[in-house]
């Protein structure tokens, strides 16, 4: 692949993973305890709810990983697979299969063709996985090694579903990559950031410890665009944790529409939600207009991606003044795995001494 600069602000633990270096092994271990529990929930355009258990997810991604390996030529060093798929169960199957094959995934946003062109020219992924058939590719993707998910899925039906052995996967590097993300480029040309498995695990362990799942928490939400670093915690926080928690995949058209998003959160009794302040403002406005929708189960709100202003935090506290809720202001960037500081707001006392919402205390904790 191309010369993507390495960023390792978060150091992984000395012994980051059991047995091997890949995060996907955590899910394989989880299947032994939670194999029958629901892993993925997705309601497609046909309004049919699709569900996969952890056992089904494991078997399907084992097959898909072998199909991927059959399409990848032998390569030295880190292998990157670009992914251009909408939010669905197919997307999550693909990401996990990429890890099981020993590669890293690189999200692409096809709605920004110039950005995609720059990323592909620099990162030079070994393979691109798309929703479109190979003969219907966008001009930007032509002249690259591209395969559709449906093609891979067809190939996968002929593959074994057993766990891949270490000898089957791509050769491991000293610190294998999990994800390659590109910055927004708002201050210049987008920069590629390399996030090894150990770095991602370090961030997840902090998340699990500081914001643990409650005994009643059964479903978490994946709604953030995959090209944003916050999506990593949304996806892998629930799926790789030892608890039998499912992940609800929210389609793009629902994500920014409070009138459709709020009933979905109510239906699945979601207890935590990641939002940008713009969406938080829209949700609070909708809740103020419709007293029947109150998100009774939602206890932890995390704001990230935009500045959180005091007036919005005060509006939040006023809306939920009779509830035990927390509004968390996270601050960071892609280069440091998303977040470097956080501030938790539970009452007006947490704002009283400030004219701006604090970015808070450091979360860069070395885990051994």
């Amino acid at each position: 692949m191309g010369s993507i600069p390495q960023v390792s602000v978060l150091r992984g633990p000395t012994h980051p993973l059991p047995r091997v270096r890949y995060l996907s092994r955590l899910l394989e271990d989880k299947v032994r305890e939670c194999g029958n529990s629901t892993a993925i929930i997705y309601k497609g355009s046909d309004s049919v709810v699709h569900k996969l258990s952890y056992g089904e997810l494991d078997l399907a991604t084992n097959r898909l990983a072998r199909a991927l390996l059959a399409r990848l030529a032998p390569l030295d060093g880190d292998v990157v697979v670009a992914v251009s798929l909408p939010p669905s169960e197919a997307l999550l199957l693909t990401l996990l299969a990429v890890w099981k094959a020993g590669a890293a995934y690189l999200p692409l946003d096809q709605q920004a063709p110039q950005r995609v062109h720059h990323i592909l020219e620099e990162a030079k992924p070994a393979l691109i996985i798309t929703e479109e058939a190979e003969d219907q590719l966008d001009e930007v993707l032509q002249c690259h090694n591209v395969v559709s998910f449906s093609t891979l899925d067809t190939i996968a039906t002929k593959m074994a579903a057993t766990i891949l052995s270490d000898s089957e996967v791509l050769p491991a590097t000293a610190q294998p990559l999990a994800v390659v993300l590109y910055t927004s480029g708002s201050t210049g040309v987008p920069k590629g950031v390399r996030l090894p498995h150990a770095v991602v695990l370090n961030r997840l362990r902090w998340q699990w410890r500081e914001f643990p799942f409650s005994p009643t928490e059964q479903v978490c939400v994946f709604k953030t665009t995959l090209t944003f670093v916050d999506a990593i915690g949304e996806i892998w926080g629930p799926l790789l944790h030892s608890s039998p928690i499912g992940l609800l995949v929210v389609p793009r058209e629902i994500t920014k529409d409070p009138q459709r998003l709020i009933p979905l959160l109510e239906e699945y009794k979601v207890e935590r939600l990641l939002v940008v302040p713009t969406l938080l403002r829209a949700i609070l406005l909708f809740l103020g207009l419709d007293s029947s929708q109150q998100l009774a189960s939602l206890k932890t709100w995390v704001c990230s991606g935009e500045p959180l202003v005091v007036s919005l935090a005060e509006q939040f506290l006023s809306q939920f003044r009779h509830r035990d809720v927390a509004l968390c202001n996270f601050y960071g960037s892609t280069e440091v795995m998303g977040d470097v500081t956080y501030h938790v707001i539970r009452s007006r006392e947490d704002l009283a001494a400030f004219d701006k919402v604090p970015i808070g205390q450091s979360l860069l904790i070395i885990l051994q």
Side-chain angles (χ1 to χ4, degrees), residues 155-322:
I155 297 171
T157 59
K158 303 173 184 177
M159 299 293 180
T162 54
I163 293 175
L164 282 78
S165 66
D166 292 347
S167 62
E168 286 183 89
V169 303
L170 296 165
T173 56
Q175 194 173 34
L177 289 184
V179 187
V180 175
L181 290 180
Y182 271 74
T183 60
S184 64
S186 57
T187 58
V189 178
K191 302 183 295 294
V193 180
R194 298 156 56 92
L195 298 172
H197 284 262
V199 167
V200 175
L201 179 61
N202 199 28
R203 171 59 174 76
L204 292 178
R205 281 179 168 169
W206 172 85
Q207 177 179 324
W208 293 333
R209 187 183 69 248
E210 295 299 320
F211 296 92
F213 296 113
S214 77
T216 58
E217 203 160 2
Q218 297 181 359
V219 177
C220 287
V221 167
F222 164 43
K223 52 169 278 301
T224 300
T225 303
L226 191 64
T227 53
F228 293 164
V229 69
D230 290 332
I232 294 176
E234 268 195 335
I235 296 171
W236 304 115
L239 291 183
L240 298 183
H241 192 266
S242 58
S243 300
I245 297 173
L247 187 64
L248 174 65
V249 183
V250 180
R252 286 174 181 162
E253 62 271 17
I254 296 179
T255 295
K256 297 180 181 180
D257 183 356
Q259 190 170 1
R260 301 174 68 187
L261 176 62
I262 290 172
L264 191 64
L265 301 177
E266 289 267 41
E267 178 184 355
Y268 287 96
K269 297 180 172 56
V270 172
E271 297 188 17
R272 67 181 67 205
L273 184 68
L274 172 67
V275 292
V276 295
T278 301
L279 180 57
L280 175 61
R281 190 181 301 278
I283 289 174
L284 293 178
L285 176 61
F286 182 82
L287 291 175
L289 296 173
D290 186 351
S291 59
S292 67
Q293 303 283 355
Q294 291 301 319
L295 294 173
S297 298
L298 219 165
K299 301 178 179 68
T300 303
W301 300 66
V302 175
C303 268
S304 180
E306 298 171 1
L308 175 63
V309 298
V310 171
S311 60
L312 182 57
E314 289 176 339
Q315 184 182 351
F316 172 89
L317 293 172
S318 178
Q319 176 69 42
F320 299 109
R321 57 186 176 277
H322 301 305

Side-chain angles (χ1 to χ4, degrees), residues 56-205:
E56 292 168 334
L57 176 64
D58 190 44
L59 295 176
T61 50
N62 288 340
R63 294 189 180 98
L64 201 59
R66 289 187 169 93
L68 269 172
L69 288 167
R71 292 290 301 239
L72 291 170
L75 296 167
D76 294 328
D78 298 311
V79 176
V80 172
V81 174
V83 178
S84 179
L85 295 169
S88 66
E89 75 274 25
L91 172 60
L92 297 183
L93 286 167
T94 299
L95 301 183
L96 186 56
V98 168
W99 278 0
K100 287 193 172 194
Y105 67 80
L106 164 64
L108 297 178
D109 183 0
Q110 282 297 93
Q111 297 178 351
Q114 289 187 333
R115 174 184 169 87
V116 169
H117 177 74
H118 165 74
I119 291 173
L120 295 180
E121 288 299 307
E122 181 174 88
K124 296 179 172 56
L127 184 66
I128 304 172
I129 302 174
T130 67
E131 184 180 30
E132 299 81 12
E134 288 83 341
D135 59 353
Q136 299 176 342
L137 292 177
D138 185 278
E139 183 179 351
V140 177
L141 299 181
Q142 294 176 5
C143 302
H144 291 277
N145 185 14
V146 182
V147 62
S148 69
F149 175 81
S150 61
T151 298
L152 269 181
D153 197 36
T154 299
I155 297 171
T157 59
K158 303 173 184 177
M159 299 293 180
T162 54
I163 293 175
L164 282 78
S165 66
D166 292 347
S167 62
E168 286 183 89
V169 303
L170 296 165
T173 56
Q175 194 173 34
L177 289 184
V179 187
V180 175
L181 290 180
Y182 271 74
T183 60
S184 64
S186 57
T187 58
V189 178
K191 302 183 295 294
V193 180
R194 298 156 56 92
L195 298 172
H197 284 262
V199 167
V200 175
L201 179 61
N202 199 28
R203 171 59 174 76
L204 292 178
R205 281 179 168 169

